[in-house]
Amino acid sequence: MKAMAVRPLLLFFFFAQVRLSFSGGLSSMESIPDLQESMYMVVDGYPCVRLLNLSGKIGCSNPGREKVVASIRRFRNANDLTQLTAVLVSLDELQDLLHRISNDVSFHKNIVGVLVESGAEIRDKLKGFSPTQKFPQAEFAPYPSINYEWNSMGSGIMLKAYDFPVFLLSESSTSMLQEVADKNEKVMNGYTTSVAEFDLVMQTTKSGTHDSESCLKEQTCLPLGGYSVWSSLPPINMSLSYQSKPIILLVASMDSASFFRDKSLGADSPISGLLSLLAAVDALSRVDGWNDLNKQLVFLVLTGEAWGYLGSRRFLHELDMQSDGVSGLNSSLIEMVLEIGSVGKGSSQGVKTFFTHTTGVSSAVNDALDALKRAQDSLKSENIEVLSSNSSNPGIPPSSLMAFLKKNSLTSGIVLEDFDTAFTNKFYHSHLDDMANINSSAVVAAASLIARSLYILANDNNDMHSSVLGAINVNTSLVEELMGCLLSCKPGLSCEMVKNYIAPANVCPSHYVGVVIGEPSFKPYLGYVDDVSRFVWNFLADRTSTPKENASSSCSKDCTNEDEVCIRAEINGKGVCVISTTRYVPAYSTRLTFESGIWNVLPPNSSDSLGSVDPVWTESNWNTIGLRVYTIQNGAYDHFILIGGITVTILAYFMIALARSFITKALKHD
């Protein structure tokens, strides 16, 4: 009877202890999200995603339809993998890792994902990092020497397909994952391990659509593209049936590329050129008397150039079609195309040096070179030097001007660059081409040179007093502010200049082109136009506008007069109509058409000389992208616990039976 009385007492103490320990564990957790947060560490990173073209696919994706999970190990400690592994790798080791994966089948089969470290010290370790080709987009070159190496650092790794996820870690996540990998190494055979869970499931992988034509048909992808912007100074009088002034076309690009989708800043290539164009327009906007000059200035900011020159080819196509988006322009009137390429690294030991890459010899090219020389002479105190590119070069470097030349081989054009025979930008098309990779003084110098050259050309190279050119000055503070807005997260697109024109959807800028959403339009729904395009449109419309008689005309979307546009329309109560010729032009492949809500691929057209080599780039759809880390028990330990539990249960059963038999005999004896 004593034993029977003791049993409830023991059970009471047991449950009391369990209740206390359980309630203590819950004291810091008030909800399911709190519990999840304590179990899972969400990792901040930038993914490599799946892109497709007419030939196949590139980029990264989970191998199947589900998330993948694997233990985290450093690459240098992962020579012999015997289990599924997520490899933590330094950027300087990434190319070697991807090369080994491509050539070692036994190694490849155990790679579940790749985590790439980032940090300020990594840039110093690298001689260079450029994941694109040595001749980017060589298929569009207007000359046969497509094996020329403009980009000596080019590895081509971003143009290959990987059946596993690859993430670039943020600096804080890098430190965290390094600690996790080191801990895993120390307890290699321990009963717990930290794992990475990758959610990078692409719709094209799930549906089995492995090229652009099939994925567009099945609607598992969208075409790369966006919206280019053009503007004129002075505004074009749309009431005139015929425009007669020759056009000087100033071109720059606003999109870049990278191995990692949302980490595409392109500071030197091409954003330094965009910054120079905006600063030059600002300087010219303070000059009077444009209607009295002999030439019409047109500014063209293109997007999609990093992916098959989408913007320039579409712009030229719309010119041929005389579409509404280019009304007021005539391709036959384009006398000169002046493109600002990479100019952010043109400063060395106080001297700002730039190189002119020309399309050949013509009177228009000679006039432009003379204008650049006169502009240089007027800026002697700025130590600016303009040199002709080496005659041994095969032709112009990769640039939008290539599309113009392929359309019309007689096009007169110049590309202004910070290099001669090969890129000086060692981080071309990589996430390391950031604000630290350029010099604001070089951007200011290029803008000054361009602004004065354009005025000379617009004045038909006529002699003018030095004071006229001397009055055209670039605002250095504007350039530095633009750099902070377009090349940094602080302040990023939340800077006052951007917020003065638009309500940005993001703070951190990224110059990846993105995808075309909905039907392309010359008056697009602004929610489908990215932040940078909308800012550029508003900036150019404002700077190239002329005063109105009724300056108080407010607006929220459109203006009644066809010569007017509504700037600052996104800012409540601040929209105003101004006289300006500023337009959006959709940028997407000339091989695509949008009909009944579906994108279709057109066959090559003989009138489109570049159509036959157009890759027709698309981006796979996805539901979510995520990366998190958590700890799991080793499978062998689980088996050990299971077997141990079964053994203990069996032993307990025999012990209970033995004890019961002993107690029964004792009670009978009493």
Side-chain angles (χ1 to χ4, degrees), residues 230-252:
W230 71 272
S231 185
S232 68
L233 185 68
I236 297 171
N237 188 344
M238 293 299 176
S239 63
L240 298 177
S241 59
Y242 179 73
Q243 308 296 331
S244 58
K245 281 187 177 183
I247 294 172
I248 307 298
L249 184 64
L250 182 67
V251 180

Side-chain angles (χ1 to χ4, degrees), residues 352-366:
K352 295 87 173 179
T353 305
F354 303 102
F355 295 88
T356 55
H357 300 258
T358 66
T359 56
V361 178
S362 70
S363 59
V365 168
N366 290 336

Side-chain angles (χ1 to χ4, degrees), residues 51-56 139-140 211-213 215-216 221-224 307-308 310 313 588-593 599-604 608 610-619:
L51 299 181
L52 306 98
N53 57 33
L54 294 178
S55 303
E139 62 272 25
F140 293 97
D211 60 60
S212 288
E213 190 161 15
C215 74
L216 288 171
C221 65
L222 287 170
L224 294 191
W307 300 98
L310 298 176
R313 291 175 53 224
Y588 61 97
S589 171
T590 55
R591 291 279 305 276
L592 291 176
T593 181
W599 289 96
N600 297 299
V601 179
L602 299 171
D608 180 10
L610 293 177
S612 59
V613 295
D614 186 350
V616 187
W617 289 108
T618 57
E619 179 184 85

